[in-house]
Every structure is written in structure tokens, then in C-alpha cells.
Amino acid sequence: MEIPDSIHLDIKLTKFIRTMENKLKTRLVIGITVLITTLSGFNFITINGILSGQVLNQKSGANVAFAKITLTNSSTKVSKNTVTGADGTFTLKELAAGKYVLEVTASGFAKKYVKEVVINSGKTTKIKIILSEIGKTEELKAITSPTKRKTDSLFGVSESLESTKDYNQSPAAVGMNYEVQQEMNTEQYDYLPENEFHEAARTPLSTFSIDVDPASYANVRRFITDGSLPPVDAVRIEELVNYFKYDYPQPQNNDPFSINTEISVCPWNQSHQLISIGLQGKIIPTTNLPPTNLVFLLDVSGSMLSNDKLPLLKKALTLLTNQLRSQDRVAIVVYAGNAGLVLPSTPGSDKETILNALESLSAGGSTAGGAGIQLAYTTALSNFIPNGNNRVILATDGDFNVGASSDGELVRMIEARRDQGIYLTVLGFGTGNLKDSKMEKLADKGNGNYAYIDNIMEAKKVLVNEMGGTLFTIAKDVKLQLEFNPELVKAYKLIGYENRILQDKDFNDDKKDAGELGSGHTVTALYEIVPAGSNESFDAIDELKYQKPAAIKTNNAELLTIKFRYKEPNSETSKLITRTIKGKTNPFENASLNHRFAASVAAFGLLLRDSKFKANASYEMVLKAAKSAKGNDAEGYRAEFIRLVETAQLLSEKSTRN
């Protein structure tokens, strides 16, 4: 039977329609796929990737535990952080596709950067990091499968890592690497020899200057939080102890500070005694403080690029700016290759102008620190407020490498301006090239204090919660001199204050510079005492041939006499206060919360320094004492200390095993 032409036409039309439908479906699928890919590229649709890796010691091949990993999105500047485990590995998840900068830091190793790490949607990027010990160089190796895509970058060749197959291959077998910009660790700490015991019969006097700098504690916390124990010389025990406030009574009458003493059994050596001496500065309400003439002297050199430096600095000074009153004034001086005035002296009420000037700052160039300090002091002097608080606030990582940079030149400059009534506060930032020793010295000579800002909460503590103590001096050149009674004391040891020791004759010399006490500040000093009658021997000095120490038989119940000298902020003549200490020694468990907590912090410092005088000190002892003396911890600083000790204990155990 012959099929009509109309049916042939219908069959052809049906085939044509089906063909077109299939083509349309195919094109639709392709179009949707392209659209999704395009939208993902513009971050409208996020398909996350993963970065995992391992950090190794170039010299030994061992895993590097507790290395800090920071991954920053090159476009959004959003960062994610983690630390490596005991096996040296790390993983960062939920990463938006894009290019990242990887920063790796570990104590004892040179810091390294990978300038272009590519994260792909739905893929795991794997990387192996070879760290060099400080003073050496080594390229960073990336372990991956054969390359999918290669691009040129400003810093060299980078790789797009998409496969996870060859993670365990050696760098040489794979034959790939990232170009690395390596930052050497050049942090500087002065050599800090530990105080020794002195026999009271031979050297009955002990003289030192007070210290209220909190920098060492914050810096130690930074090391431990980043997964390593701090260098011994970074641990200044008096700064650890004085990081915390103590519940001493306010002074009476017209005295600028109260004096508080206590004696107990020494918790780390039961045959010894522990004496605490606490000063409480008078609290002056902010509304009653004198007007302030501040100059922010800010380091904007190339070394200040990282997030823990200039960006944190700007946030910190924003907190301070928000505390200023209409009678206060602020100018901003910056220094890099050259020094310049960014903001002339501006009333504290014009916060918008001050904050805009801060926000406009960016880092780059070398470090003309000397020129910056000169300009800052000139600016402060031209806006000087008689009977006011005239102060330069230097914020830096301490790297002075252009211009007047020697310690001697800087100190002489700062001392001259100090005598004109302009004081110096120093705020340290960042890691890798922190010049701790230089910054502490400059603050001491400038009648100011030195704080290390490792996070925004520390900035709040120093510049908001304790602003009065940080910026307003109520007593200057505060010195202590103790005379021990040899009838009751065989030997004594001042715990900490190693770089604050004075000659005995300096106590009565009003020209000799000493420490400052701020509004509301507390200062605590601890002495370890060996009672008379002990069989212990100390000073290895031959018996005198031509004279003998006179036998002392006074039947005096006084253990010691303490003399305090201080000057009022605008005076050059000191005042003298004298106190005596007598009374029985209490069991440590019965001592006050102040005494026990200060002792626990001091014992922690002895452990971190691996002191030859640590006796029976242990992390368990520190934790027991600190927990029992935590008291009213409204700000949470003491709870944080307990966690820090627990972390240090784990790090110490790991170090011992290795």
C-alpha cells in the first residue's frame, strides 16, 4: 500500500522536532553550566575548597608542631587561622575559590610567605612547607599532581593545585615550588641575668626602681598562644606579676600611693619566706584628669604591613581616640622613608577628623625613626599645655634603620624632652622584628611605660580600661631601698627587676631617673628570704683579713625597713616614706589572694626562665595557687592566665619529650 505524501511529511516533521528538542536541551544544559561557572567566578555562587598541608623542619625533616598558619584572601582580605598539630599537619575548610596569601610562623624558624595559593571550587589544595631555622634560607615546596594551569604572578610562578594523589611524594620527585618572600626573625631582647641571693650581713641594702610595664606578659602570651615557649630573655618576671591588678587599699591623706606588705612561707621552697610589697596608686577619675596634649608617632614603614601591625595599630588608637575629651588634643606624625605631619593638633571632640586621618594611613618604605621622634617632640612642644599631660605615644615594631637610630642618640633626645615635661609611651606591635629591648629602654628614659599590643583586647586593656595609669603620671622617679636585719635574715633575693637595679647611693640622688606610677596603677615586688640560722651558703667570698663584720645582737623584731622615694609630677625634689616590717610568717595557704596570686605568677616566670632558683616550683603548683587565688576576676585576666599556664605546661612536656 502506498503511503500518502502527507504522512511522510508528518514523520519528517516529528523527527525534526525531536532533533531540535535534543539540541535545545543540550544547549540549555551547556548554558546553565556556563552560567553557574560565571556566577561562581563573580562570587554570586560559592563552591568552597579546602587547603591542607604539612610543615617540616628543613634541617631535620621533623614535623613542626604548633606552627601558626594564616591564610588571607587576596581580594577580600579576610583571614583564616589555624595551627599545626603534633604531626605538623593542618587543614582549612570552607574556603571561597580564589587566590590567597599564606603566612607560616613558628618559633625558632624564619617566617615564610606564599604569595599566591589558588583554591578551586570543590577541590582540595595540598601543600608541603619546609621551614628553615633562623638565619638560613630554603624555598617552600608544594606537593601536587601534574599542573592543570600555570600563571605568572608578580612574585614568580604559581601553580593551580587540583589533585590530591601525590601528597606523599617528595618535592624533588614532583619538581614544583612556589617563589617565597621570606621574612627573617630579627626580634631583639637584652640579655637578662637573673638576680642572685645576697647575704644580709655583707650587703644589707637592696635598691631598685619600680616598673609597671606590662609588655613582657603580653609578649609571652603571644609566644605561648602561637605554640612555643618564649625566649628566656623575653621573660621579665616583674612585668608578668604587674600585668595584673591587685586589691590594695587606696592611699590616705595626700600620699599618691598606699604601701602594703605581707610575709608567708615561700611556696616553691618551704624553708624560705616570701615577702610581697604592694603599692596602690591613687585613682583619679577621668573627668578630673588634667588636659592632654598627645602626639601619635606612628611607624608606617614597610615592616608594618601585616595585620598584627598597622591594621591593629589603627584599631587600637581608634579605641583611645573615642575616650578623649574636648579639652584634650591629638596630632599625628608618621615616619617611613621620611617623617611627616599627617594631622595637626586637633581637639579631642573632633573625633571624625582624627579617625579619618588614622584610617588613611598605609605602610611602605624604610624606617626613619629618629626623624619621626624629633618631629613628634617638636609638635608636642609647639602645643604644650602647662600643668597638663604632654605625651608622645610611639607605636611601632621597633625597627629604626634610617637616621638617628643608635640607642644612645635616641635616649639623649628623649631625656632632653622629658626634662621639658614631655613624656613618652611606647606601644609595640607585631612579630618577626620586634625590637623589645630598644622600646623598653626608650619608654624608661621618657618617663613613660611600654606595652605590647598583640590583639584588640590588649589594646582595650591598655588604652581604655587602664587609660589613666597608661597616660597620667601621679608619681615619678619612684625608688625603693630595703635594709635587711641580719639577725633575722641570712640572705635575700629580689624576684625580677633585673634591669631596674640601682646602686645604693642612687636612692638619695634626685638626679637619678627611676620608674613612674600612673593613676590607679598597682606595683608589686617580691623578695625570697632565707631565715637566719639556715645552713645554706651564698656569697663565695673569702673571709676578710683586716676586718670582720661586727656581731649584731639587737634583739630587734624588725625583719627589714623599707624606704620609698618619689617626686610629684612637676617637682624635681623627692619625698621620703619609711616603713618597717615585723611579725610572724604565715602559711602560704593562709596568705591573702593578692599575695598568693602574685606568687603564682612569679613561680610561672621562674619556670619559663628555667631558673636555677625555681626549687620545687612546678606547673601543678602554679595552677593550684592561681586557681585558689583567682578571686573577683571581672575582666577575665586571671582566668586567661590559668589557661596560659595550662598551655605552657603542654608545650613544656612536648619539649621535654623531644
Side-chain angles (χ1 to χ4, degrees):
M1 178 180 173
E2 185 176 348
I3 299 175
D5 292 339
S6 60
I7 294 176
H8 281 294
L9 182 60
D10 289 341
I11 293 171
K12 291 179 180 180
L13 183 59
T14 300
K15 290 181 178 179
F16 174 78
I17 291 172
R18 288 177 179 172
T19 300
M20 292 302 295
E21 284 178 345
N22 290 335
K23 289 183 178 180
L24 286 172
K25 287 179 181 178
T26 301
R27 291 180 179 179
L28 181 61
V29 170
I30 294 172
I32 291 173
T33 302
V34 171
L35 178 60
I36 290 174
T37 303
T38 303
L39 291 175
S40 295
F42 284 98
N43 292 325
F44 291 110
I45 296 178
T46 301
I47 302 177
N48 293 322
I50 298 173
L51 176 67
S52 66
Q54 187 174 26
V55 181
L56 301 174
N57 184 331
Q58 181 269 336
K59 182 177 181 180
S60 65
N63 302 323
V64 179
F66 303 110
K68 184 178 180 181
I69 309 295
T70 302
L71 190 69
T72 303
N73 190 297
S74 300
S75 300
T76 65
K77 306 304 180 185
V78 174
S79 296
K80 283 196 172 187
N81 301 283
T82 189
V83 294
T84 57
D87 59 355
T89 63
F90 67 92
T91 302
L92 287 168
K93 299 180 179 180
E94 301 297 323
L95 301 174
K99 295 179 181 179
Y100 290 78
V101 175
L102 180 69
E103 177 184 308
V104 185
T105 57
S107 179
F109 295 89
K111 181 183 293 188
K112 287 192 174 180
Y113 292 101
V114 184
K115 287 298 183 180
E116 191 173 289
V117 175
V118 178
I119 301 297
N120 292 293
S121 301
K123 302 290 184 180
T124 297
T125 299
K126 295 215 170 187
I127 192 168
K128 185 170 287 188
I129 300 162
I130 311 297
L131 289 186
S132 301
E133 295 178 359
I134 292 174
K136 301 179 181 180
T137 58
E138 173 68 21
E139 67 181 4
L140 178 66
K141 304 296 184 179
I143 307 304
T144 182
S145 64
T147 307
K148 297 291 185 180
R149 175 173 56 85
K150 181 182 289 186
T151 58
D152 291 329
S153 72
L154 177 62
F155 301 96
V157 177
S158 65
E159 304 292 343
S160 174
L161 309 178
E162 296 186 0
S163 173
T164 63
K165 289 182 179 180
D166 299 320
Y167 181 60
N168 293 317
Q169 291 185 25
S170 69
V174 177
M176 294 182 184
N177 64 73
Y178 281 111
E179 291 292 328
V180 176
Q181 178 183 357
Q182 179 165 294
E183 181 179 313
M184 303 306 296
N185 190 320
T186 59
E187 295 190 11
Q188 292 179 359
Y189 302 93
D190 273 347
Y191 172 60
L192 199 64
E194 187 173 17
N195 289 334
E196 300 280 341
F197 277 97
H198 297 282
E199 290 190 359
R202 291 181 180 274
T203 53
L205 295 180
S206 174
T207 309
F208 68 99
S209 161
I210 69 163
D211 184 16
V212 294
D213 294 344
S216 181
Y217 180 87
N219 194 27
V220 163
R221 178 180 62 203
R222 184 256 299 186
F223 274 102
I224 294 173
T225 301
D226 285 352
S228 63
L229 296 176
V232 168
D233 295 319
V235 182
R236 296 186 287 273
I237 296 179
E238 74 280 4
E239 293 188 24
L240 270 60
V241 171
N242 287 313
Y243 181 84
F244 302 93
K245 281 185 172 294
Y246 298 92
D247 188 23
Y248 301 133
Q250 279 290 296
Q252 302 297 316
N253 304 319
N254 294 321
D255 291 337
F257 53 84
S258 68
I259 300 168
N260 309 273
T261 60
E262 191 169 353
I263 313 172
S264 79
V265 172
C266 180
W268 55 85
N269 190 330
Q270 297 291 313
S271 64
H272 293 179
Q273 299 166 327
L274 186 69
I275 297 179
S276 62
I277 305 165
L279 307 183
Q280 172 64 64
K282 181 178 293 184
I283 297 175
I284 302 175
T286 302
T287 53
N288 297 338
L289 291 170
T292 300
N293 164 36
L294 296 178
V295 178
F296 295 164
L297 173 56
L298 310 181
D299 183 350
V300 295
S301 63
S303 67
M304 294 290 289
L305 271 170
S306 59
N307 287 334
D308 58 352
K309 295 186 180 181
L310 185 59
L312 179 58
L313 181 161
K314 293 195 288 187
K315 293 174 184 175
L317 293 184
T318 294
L319 294 177
L320 175 57
T321 299
N322 288 330
Q323 305 302 308
L324 298 177
R325 307 159 299 174
S326 58
Q327 62 265 43
D328 301 325
R329 303 188 67 84
V330 174
I332 300 178
V333 172
V334 299
Y335 62 94
N338 294 294
L341 181 66
V342 170
L343 180 73
S345 189
T346 301
S349 55
D350 191 0
K351 291 179 173 52
E352 183 177 0
T353 298
I354 301 170
L355 295 177
N356 286 340
L358 284 172
E359 188 57 35
S360 69
L361 301 178
S362 60
S366 55
T367 317
I373 288 179
Q374 287 178 330
L375 179 58
Y377 276 118
T378 300
T379 304
L381 191 61
S382 64
N383 296 282
F384 190 85
I385 300 176
N387 299 317
N389 175 37
N390 300 277
R391 187 175 297 262
V392 172
I393 298 180
L394 169 60
T396 177
D397 59 5
D399 193 7
F400 297 81
N401 54 31
V402 175
S405 60
S406 75
D407 287 2
E409 290 176 278
L410 292 170
V411 165
R412 281 189 287 273
M413 183 193 310
I414 289 166
E415 285 180 331
R417 297 303 187 183
R418 175 193 73 197
D419 295 340
Q420 294 178 312
I422 302 172
Y423 294 171
L424 176 69
T425 290
V426 180
L427 305 178
F429 290 83
T431 65
N433 62 339
L434 183 71
K435 302 300 184 287
D436 175 85
S437 55
K438 180 172 289 189
M439 289 190 285
E440 184 194 22
K441 186 176 297 181
L442 297 184
D444 290 347
K445 299 303 181 182
N447 273 14
N449 39 38
Y450 164 41
Y452 176 74
I453 309 295
D454 58 333
N455 57 55
I456 194 64
M457 292 307 295
E458 184 66 15
K460 180 175 180 289
K461 178 182 186 292
V462 172
L463 299 175
V464 178
N465 299 354
E466 301 174 6
M467 182 180 74
T470 301
L471 300 182
F472 297 91
T473 298
I474 61 172
K476 67 180 183 179
D477 293 339
V478 183
K479 312 170 192 173
L480 278 70
Q481 187 170 76
L482 284 70
E483 182 180 357
F484 292 91
N485 180 1
E487 192 171 357
L488 298 178
V489 177
K490 179 168 187 176
Y492 62 87
K493 174 184 180 296
L494 175 61
I495 301 173
Y497 291 93
E498 281 85 359
N499 56 6
R500 298 282 185 159
I501 300 296
L502 299 175
Q503 296 185 50
D504 293 337
K505 65 180 182 179
D506 293 336
F507 182 75
N508 293 318
D509 184 356
D510 279 355
K511 295 181 181 179
K512 187 67 178 179
D513 182 54
E516 280 61 50
L517 186 67
S519 169
H521 259 153
T522 61
V523 180
T524 300
L526 297 169
Y527 276 88
E528 186 174 348
I529 303 296
V530 181
S534 169
N535 294 324
E536 296 178 66
S537 59
F538 298 97
D539 294 338
I541 302 175
D542 292 342
E543 290 294 324
L544 299 177
K545 181 178 180 181
Y546 299 109
Q547 55 187 336
K548 302 285 185 182
I552 300 174
K553 292 293 181 183
T554 64
N555 295 318
N556 193 330
E558 294 176 0
L559 193 69
L560 59 94
T561 296
I562 312 176
K563 294 184 289 186
F564 304 82
R565 279 201 180 275
Y566 73 94
K567 299 174 187 172
E568 295 179 349
N570 296 317
S571 174
E572 294 306 318
T573 302
S574 67
K575 295 183 177 182
L576 175 66
I577 300 175
T578 302
R579 295 283 188 275
T580 58
I581 295 181
K582 60 175 65 176
K584 68 175 184 178
T585 301
N586 291 318
F588 182 73
E589 295 75 14
N590 296 343
S592 69
L593 297 180
N594 288 333
H595 185 87
R596 283 185 283 137
F597 192 82
S600 72
V601 180
F604 181 53
L606 293 175
L607 290 171
L608 291 178
R609 289 184 59 84
D610 193 23
S611 167
K612 65 181 179 180
F613 301 114
K614 65 184 179 183
N616 297 317
S618 67
Y619 287 102
E620 290 80 5
M621 186 219 82
V622 172
L623 289 169
K624 181 180 178 181
K627 289 176 180 177
S628 70
K630 182 180 173 184
N632 181 17
D633 186 31
E635 298 291 342
Y637 300 139
R638 296 189 177 193
E640 180 194 58
F641 170 74
I642 292 169
R643 292 192 296 271
L644 200 68
V645 175
E646 291 171 338
T647 304
Q649 183 179 22
L650 293 173
L651 293 172
S652 177
E653 290 172 353
K654 175 184 178 297
S655 175
T656 300
R657 287 196 301 269
N658 290 341

